[in-house]
């Protein structure tokens, strides 16, 4: 039995970094105006931020079917018969179901779960899956262990640019205009609570108030901070990220495991620059 771990670029990994960790990689497509890039292959996050800053129209799509087929054909040749698949939420993308259907055609068994989110939580789960696989933990046990962690996870996003959310269909143009006039910041949730889709959790005024509100909610949601990993992500918002870190420390304690990451393309394309995200996930035993 030969087992491979596969993740997509919603994990924030590049192809090079994933492969160095023994993880196979499915790049999401990022469409910038009329040009299509492969996230983590020929487009990095700073390039994307530059395109957004220049006013380009950006959107994402699932990894090319040809890349999935090529990977699965290589597995057949290598004798790989099982895959542990870690992808972004089924509520955000059809990547998971598309790969499952393709793998079935090739007779390859896939062990997977719905993360109900992406970004830092997906990053953590991909690395944990690879670590457990290296320790010869059974695929079924890996997925079961990850599910326990996901059941104790959540994430909150605050966008600076409401017009960008409106372009992506997350807010109506009128709501974005009114929100901008009133300095309203919607706090978006992407978690099991929302079925893995983006939903408005709360609305407050100012970015700093939104960050504090999100951090306070996280503080109330975790029982023992030492048993969790926390992520702060931002799209070129240094001040917002530092505020989020300080607010989380104030409710979790200075010893909390808080990790800083850029806002990956899978979400940054929809929130625009200035966005800040905060996530938490229960630590995986043995990873």
């Amino acid at each position: 039995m030969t087992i491979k771990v596969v993740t997509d670029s919603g994990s924030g990994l590049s192809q090079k970094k994933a492969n160095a960790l023994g993880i196979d990689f499915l790049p999401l497509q990022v469409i910038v105006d009329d040009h299509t890039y492969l996230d983590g292959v020929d487009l990095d996050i700073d390039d994307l931020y530059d395109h957004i800053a220049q006013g380009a129209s950006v959107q994402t799509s699932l990894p090319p079917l040809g890349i999935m087929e090529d990977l699965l054909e290589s597995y057949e040749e290598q004798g790989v018969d099982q895959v542990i698949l870690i992808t972004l939420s089924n509520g955000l993308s059809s990547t998971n179901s598309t790969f499952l259907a393709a793998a079935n055609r090739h007779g390859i068994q896939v062990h997977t779960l719905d993360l109900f989110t992406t970004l830092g939580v997906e990053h953590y789960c991909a690395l944990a899956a690879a670590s457990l696989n290296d320790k010869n933990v059974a695929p079924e046990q890996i997925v079961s262990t990850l599910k326990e962690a996901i059941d104790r996870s959540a994430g909150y996003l605050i966008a600076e640019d409401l017009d960008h959310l409106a372009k992506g269909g997350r807010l109506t143009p009128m709501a974005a205009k009114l929100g901008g006039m009133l300095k309203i910041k919607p706090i978006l949730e992407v978690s099991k609570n929302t079925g893995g889709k983006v939903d408005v959790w709360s609305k407050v005024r100012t970015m700093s108030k939104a960050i504090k509100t999100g951090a306070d909610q996280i503080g109330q949601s975790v029982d023992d901070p030492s048993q969790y990993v926390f992520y702060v992500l931002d799209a070129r918002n240094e001040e917002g990220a530092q505020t989020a870190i300080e607010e989380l420390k104030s409710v979790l304690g200075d010893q909390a495991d808080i990790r800083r990451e850029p806002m990956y393309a899978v979400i940054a394309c929809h929130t625009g620059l200035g966005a800040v995200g905060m996530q938490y996930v229960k630590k995986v035993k043995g990873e």
Side-chain angles (χ1 to χ4, degrees):
M1 180 172 65
T2 304
I3 306 163
K4 288 285 190 176
V5 175
V6 177
T7 193
D8 62 40
S9 59
S11 64
L13 295 172
S14 66
Q15 185 174 56
K16 183 177 180 180
K17 288 180 179 178
N19 292 164
L21 293 166
I23 300 172
D24 285 334
F25 185 73
L26 300 174
L28 294 168
Q29 299 177 83
V30 178
I31 300 93
V32 180
D33 291 331
D34 58 353
H35 187 88
T36 299
Y37 296 92
L38 296 179
D39 184 26
V41 178
D42 58 4
L43 179 76
D44 64 30
I45 195 62
D46 280 324
D47 292 334
L48 175 65
Y49 290 166
D50 287 342
H51 286 302
I52 295 174
Q54 293 162 11
S57 172
V58 295
Q59 57 184 309
T60 58
S61 182
L62 76 165
L65 298 180
I67 288 180
M68 294 189 192
E69 287 292 337
D70 288 346
L71 181 61
L72 290 165
E73 286 176 7
S74 74
Y75 285 168
E76 284 192 277
E77 295 171 358
Q78 298 167 29
V80 174
D81 53 1
Q82 298 195 52
V83 166
I84 301 167
L85 179 64
I86 307 297
T87 68
L88 70 159
S89 164
N90 294 339
L92 297 175
S93 171
S94 60
T95 299
N96 192 283
S97 60
T98 302
F99 188 91
L100 277 170
N104 185 59
R105 292 194 298 271
H106 288 268
I108 294 172
Q109 184 178 4
V110 177
H111 306 269
T112 190
L113 73 163
D114 194 340
L115 300 185
F116 298 108
T117 189
T118 183
L119 298 174
V121 172
E122 183 181 348
H123 181 94
Y124 179 79
C125 287
L127 269 57
S131 176
L132 293 173
N133 188 48
D134 287 344
K135 296 172 183 176
N136 296 315
V137 178
E140 297 86 353
Q141 183 60 44
I142 292 175
V143 169
S144 176
T145 302
L146 292 178
K147 185 179 183 302
E148 290 179 11
I150 291 302
D151 285 344
R152 295 168 177 81
S153 69
Y156 302 95
L157 298 166
I158 306 109
E160 182 69 39
D161 184 356
L162 299 188
D163 288 334
H164 207 91
L165 279 176
K167 290 177 182 177
R170 300 301 179 188
L171 288 176
T172 66
M174 181 60 71
K177 183 176 181 180
L178 182 61
M181 292 172 60
L182 299 177
K183 296 184 178 180
I184 291 175
K185 297 296 180 189
I187 303 173
L188 308 175
E189 182 177 5
V190 188
S191 69
K192 189 173 182 178
N193 294 333
T194 66
K197 297 181 180 180
V198 178
D199 198 5
V200 177
W201 176 73
S202 184
K203 298 177 183 178
V204 299
R205 291 190 177 184
T206 77
M207 174 65 80
S208 60
K209 177 64 174 176
I211 291 172
K212 177 174 172 50
T213 301
D216 287 345
Q217 177 63 23
I218 290 174
Q220 295 170 19
S221 300
V222 301
D223 44 7
D224 179 0
S226 69
Q227 298 302 308
Y228 290 79
V229 174
F230 304 87
Y231 283 90
V232 170
L233 307 101
D234 72 287
R236 287 186 177 168
N237 189 340
E238 179 68 26
E239 181 180 355
Q242 290 302 323
T243 297
I245 291 171
E246 292 306 314
E247 291 290 353
L248 285 172
K249 285 182 177 180
S250 73
V251 296
L252 302 170
D254 289 337
Q255 301 306 309
D257 185 354
I258 302 173
R259 305 180 186 183
R260 171 88 180 273
E261 291 283 328
M263 188 72 73
Y264 308 149
V266 65
I267 294 296
C269 281
H270 303 287
T271 60
L273 297 182
V276 174
M278 294 176 287
Q279 296 179 294
Y280 66 90
V281 60
K282 188 76 177 287
K283 289 182 178 177
V284 169
K285 295 178 181 179
E287 58 89 13

